Amino acid sequence: MKYMMLRKLFLLPLLLLAITLGAQNGGIVRGNVFDKETGEPIIYGNVQIQGTTLGTNTDLDGFFSIANVPEGTYQLVATYVGYDSVAVNINVKNGGIVYERMFMNPSAVKLSEVNVSARREQARSDVQVSKVRVTPKQIRSLPATGGEADIAQYLPVLPGIISSGDQGGQLYIRGGSPVQNKILLDGVTIYNPFHSIGFFSVFETEAIRSVDVLTGGFNADYGSRISAVVDIKTREGNKKKFGGLVSASPFQAKALLEGPIKPLEEDGGGSVSFLLTGKHSYLDQSSKVLYDYAVDTTFFSFADADTTLDASDIGLPYKYTDLYGKLSFVGNNGSKLDVFGFNFTDEFNFIGLAKVDWQTTGAGASFKLIPPNSNVIMDGTVAVSDYQIKLDESDGDPRTSGVSSYNALLNFTYFGNKNQVNYGFDFTGFNTNFKFRNFIGITINQRSFTTELAAYVKYKQIIGPLIIEPGFRLQYYASQSELSPEPRLGLKYNITDFLRFKFAGGFYSQNLISTLNDLDVVNFFVGFLAGPEETIYKPNSTEPTNHRLQKSYHAIAGFEVDINNNLTLNVEPYLKKFTQLITINRNRLSTTDPEFVTETGDAYGIDFSARYEAKNLYLWATYSLGYVNRDDGFVEYNTIFDRRHNVNLLGVYSFGENNNWEASLRWNMGSGFPFTQTQGFYEENNFSNLVYTNILTGNFNLGTILADEINGGRLSFYHRLDASVKRTFDITNSTRLEATASITNIYNRDNVFYVDRVTNSRVNQLPILPSLGLQLLF
């Protein structure tokens, strides 16, 4: 039965293609649109065949394809606000394919106006439910902690996304824990994308082309996760000239080099370019001088009362290094090949207490093949990666975890006139190695190898003002011998040019499990293991489950309205039903107890966002109302990331001659996270040596008695104001210097991180952090 379903799914794309090809007539016009100065693709540019109603928008590679063009001679016109329009003459024949490479010159119109035009066009032509596309310009506009902008600082500004804080930064997306969110870099899964200091990720802002954040209801082209997807794609190196940047701040130094090996020529021919980036943090050293007060107020709450350490001994104990390189080959007809590699390391070393270090390495190749005689475009990725993490504690055995994975992804896209078919196949294999010893000395040790196979199809059809996008994914988990059929659906109805209603939903599954627990308040150790292969049981029961996967379904609706040419409002209520969650049994008292336990859960709420864009002003505001709970069969409880209210306000203003000044302000307010309250204490005496132990007068370590209600208390509200000012100095036509002064936590709010139960010592988030960063671009 399973294999019959798989075979039918393989045949479904062919059936859709047969139907659409049967309706095809005329010729095909396709091509690429590039920036004339840099060779960068023009994203979501408008391409029209003059004198007809035929047209489309370019994609992330600047590629476009227009089908069913009647035979004849036409003028092909490309337009994009901020660039001079360009036109070429074309001759279309029945059954023929015309390819054109078009180059556009930047005009005097500012980029802020460009973004409005492109975003509005995309909103009208795509479903885009619970999807936000973030650009490098938006990331750079945020008040930069440490003088360095980073996607880790920008993501929590988006509706529905909650950050655990400045330290050990983890993201929770609409009720999903970090392991339930798939983070992709050029098609490769990054298992730990954020450094121990939560302000920075492993991704280099200046190398990013786009970031697609799908907070729920994503379609069939994504799978293996039950909550959300963050898809990051990097750009190619400059195809026209050599360049780069160097920068330094109190937190880190970085450099980027790029340029052509074979330049892109307007009269045809391919190109070869490279991109190299690297950054290194020296905060563990610079903070001893610049931020010793932050060390005193934040980290000495961890230390024993009789510690001899001071701020000059440890500094802020964070250190990381990130390296990324890419070699890009672009063909004469738009086909391309990218070869890339990366190495990310992180270390959190609190002397005398704990040390966590991890490393992620990987390499891969992605390609896009545009056949000269077919309207089916092929793209894919082949990659390998390795993630290893180790925790050494002063009073316990080390914990270790690792994931070695390889994946191959193959996608096919057919472009019709008012429709599009996407289908593809995804193969992933990974080894996991996890070792952990719980509080009573029981060791959990798992080594496993598993593979996942998937096939998907997605069909997009535009019928007047209606856009319908059904999809279906079939996911096979080899270690579980489990086939998971997952229907998906996206809809959008353009009531007018300025008002749109939308809906998305689907079924989702995953096999990967995290060592983090939804009851953890603080945990820098982020390990992974494959799902259980032994029998597991329903919550608080001896009844076996029907399967050994984690599963959910999503339902999201909403509307978006363009109130005027500059202001857009988006409203999205959502529901995520987690029908089965699997976690490590940390309360395992003997080797006969099960290693895994199950839970169910719900996440529901509503997100509001408003965006205002004018020539020199950008405003962004969000409010999220959310509820997240879990049910372990004993009790239903709120998770530690159940933040009821969350508000973000962001403003960016450009001024001065040629807008060489930029000021930005961001304020975040969130209601308190839940925690389990303390009911009492007891002395920990295991009575292992009664001969030499005086149980009446002996002094023993204090144990904690927790309240019966899990996460029944709430921490105080979190709020923080950040600001930055950037000044750009033009040195030559191709060289400029950017100086950024920033202050994080301007009014020095004591935001609680957690409270030590035994000592009653309060551990705060980071205090006020002023900084100055310099960046030279050439």
Side-chain angles (χ1 to χ4, degrees), residues 32 41-45 57-64 368 415:
N32 286 83
I42 300 296
I43 301 173
Y44 274 95
N57 298 108
T58 57
D59 64 11
L60 287 176
D61 296 314
F63 178 79
F64 66 90
K368 186 172 189 176
F415 295 94

Side-chain angles (χ1 to χ4, degrees), residues 334-361:
S335 298
K336 68 171 193 170
L337 171 67
D338 294 322
V339 181
F340 57 87
F342 53 83
N343 183 71
F344 310 132
T345 62
D346 183 276
E347 181 181 299
F348 170 81
N349 185 12
F350 185 63
I351 299 172
L353 190 66
K355 178 183 178 183
V356 181
D357 60 81
W358 57 258
Q359 181 176 26
T360 297
T361 56

Side-chain angles (χ1 to χ4, degrees), residues 86 211 272 322 353 376 398 687 734:
V86 61
V211 181
V272 182
D322 300 325
L353 190 66
V376 178
F687 302 101
S734 58

Side-chain angles (χ1 to χ4, degrees), residues 466-724:
L466 176 66
I467 306 171
I468 180 170
E469 198 171 71
F472 189 80
R473 187 178 185 94
L474 199 58
Q475 189 90 19
Y476 179 68
Y477 299 92
S479 64
Q480 310 291 352
S481 298
E482 184 75 29
L483 193 64
S484 178
E486 300 171 7
R488 316 277 175 85
L489 177 64
L491 296 170
K492 176 170 281 187
Y493 189 78
N494 291 281
I495 296 178
T496 67
D497 282 344
F498 59 84
L499 178 61
R500 302 169 286 277
F501 282 91
K502 52 189 178 179
F503 170 84
F507 291 82
Y508 307 89
S509 66
Q510 77 175 67
N511 189 35
L512 192 68
I513 296 174
S514 173
T515 63
L516 294 176
N517 188 286
D518 288 348
L519 293 173
D520 288 336
V521 176
V522 182
N523 198 334
F524 290 89
F525 180 80
V526 183
F528 300 94
L529 60 162
E533 298 181 21
E534 67 269 20
T535 301
I536 58 174
Y537 302 93
K538 294 182 179 180
N540 190 25
S541 134
T542 56
E543 181 184 353
T545 60
N546 298 325
H547 57 82
R548 292 166 294 184
L549 297 173
Q550 301 187 82
K551 290 193 174 184
S552 72
Y553 62 82
H554 302 177
I556 303 164
F559 67 90
E560 52 195 35
V561 54
D562 303 326
I563 296 174
N564 56 39
N565 289 335
N566 304 101
L567 180 61
T568 299
L569 174 67
N570 186 74
V571 180
E572 287 187 358
Y574 65 90
L575 167 68
K576 291 182 181 178
K577 186 77 173 179
F578 300 101
T579 55
Q580 181 163 287
L581 300 171
I582 303 172
T583 62
I584 298 172
N585 185 3
R586 296 189 177 189
N587 297 320
R588 191 180 182 202
L589 300 177
S590 71
T591 55
T592 59
D593 288 341
E595 290 190 5
F596 300 91
V597 293
T598 62
E599 294 181 323
T600 60
D602 296 299
Y604 55 94
I606 186 168
D607 291 331
F608 299 85
S609 63
R611 183 196 309 267
Y612 178 87
E613 290 181 274
K615 186 174 183 180
N616 297 326
L617 180 64
Y618 175 81
L619 299 175
W620 170 256
T622 69
Y623 168 72
S624 296
L625 173 68
Y627 298 82
V628 187
N629 60 63
R630 300 286 187 261
D631 188 343
D632 61 5
F634 294 95
V635 65
E636 183 176 320
Y637 64 93
N638 298 121
T639 67
I640 56 98
F641 51 89
D642 174 47
R643 173 161 278 171
R644 188 72 66 244
H645 307 281
N646 196 52
V647 177
N648 274 288
L649 302 176
L650 171 65
V652 184
Y653 180 64
S654 300
F655 60 98
E657 185 180 357
N658 298 320
N659 286 332
N660 53 11
W661 286 90
E662 182 180 88
S664 58
L665 200 67
R666 182 242 178 157
W667 184 72
N668 174 223
M669 185 276 289
S671 56
F673 287 130
F675 73 99
T676 303
Q677 295 167 304
T678 302
Q679 190 173 22
F681 302 94
Y682 66 95
E683 288 193 292
E684 292 181 324
N685 182 2
N686 60 12
F687 302 101
S688 61
N689 192 345
L690 290 175
V691 176
Y692 297 100
T693 301
N694 189 328
I695 61 173
L696 297 178
T697 62
N699 291 319
F700 308 101
N701 292 330
L702 280 180
T704 304
I705 302 173
L706 300 180
D708 293 335
E709 184 181 2
I710 298 176
N711 290 339
R714 290 272 174 174
L715 297 175
S716 57
F717 268 58
Y718 172 98
H719 53 88
R720 195 182 84 194
L721 179 66
D722 303 338
S724 68

Side-chain angles (χ1 to χ4, degrees), residues 343-539:
N343 183 71
F344 310 132
T345 62
D346 183 276
E347 181 181 299
F348 170 81
N349 185 12
F350 185 63
I351 299 172
L353 190 66
K355 178 183 178 183
V356 181
D357 60 81
W358 57 258
Q359 181 176 26
T360 297
T361 56
S366 59
F367 67 91
K368 186 172 189 176
L369 181 62
I370 303 176
N373 299 310
S374 171
N375 202 25
V376 178
I377 309 302
M378 181 190 307
D379 67 87
T381 302
V382 178
V384 296
S385 68
D386 181 71
Y387 168 73
Q388 300 293 329
I389 186 170
K390 182 179 182 181
L391 167 64
D392 289 307
E393 295 180 291
S394 60
D395 57 351
D397 292 336
R399 303 184 205 177
T400 59
S401 179
V403 183
S404 299
S405 66
Y406 52 90
N407 69 290
L409 176 65
L410 188 60
N411 303 307
F412 300 87
T413 304
Y414 166 80
F415 295 94
N417 185 19
K418 294 291 184 180
N419 52 51
Q420 182 176 316
V421 179
N422 298 81
Y423 64 97
F425 312 98
D426 191 354
F427 171 78
T428 301
F430 59 88
N431 297 302
T432 61
N433 181 8
F434 172 68
K435 186 176 181 181
F436 166 71
R437 191 172 185 179
N438 71 6
F439 66 100
I440 65 166
I442 299 297
T443 299
I444 300 172
N445 194 351
Q446 189 210 58
R447 293 175 180 267
S448 66
F449 171 76
T450 186
T451 56
E452 299 177 4
L453 299 170
Y456 78 89
V457 60
K458 181 174 72 171
Y459 179 73
K460 176 182 176 181
Q461 179 69 54
I462 300 175
I463 308 172
L466 176 66
I467 306 171
I468 180 170
E469 198 171 71
F472 189 80
R473 187 178 185 94
L474 199 58
Q475 189 90 19
Y476 179 68
Y477 299 92
S479 64
Q480 310 291 352
S481 298
E482 184 75 29
L483 193 64
S484 178
E486 300 171 7
R488 316 277 175 85
L489 177 64
L491 296 170
K492 176 170 281 187
Y493 189 78
N494 291 281
I495 296 178
T496 67
D497 282 344
F498 59 84
L499 178 61
R500 302 169 286 277
F501 282 91
K502 52 189 178 179
F503 170 84
F507 291 82
Y508 307 89
S509 66
Q510 77 175 67
N511 189 35
L512 192 68
I513 296 174
S514 173
T515 63
L516 294 176
N517 188 286
D518 288 348
L519 293 173
D520 288 336
V521 176
V522 182
N523 198 334
F524 290 89
F525 180 80
V526 183
F528 300 94
L529 60 162
E533 298 181 21
E534 67 269 20
T535 301
I536 58 174
Y537 302 93
K538 294 182 179 180

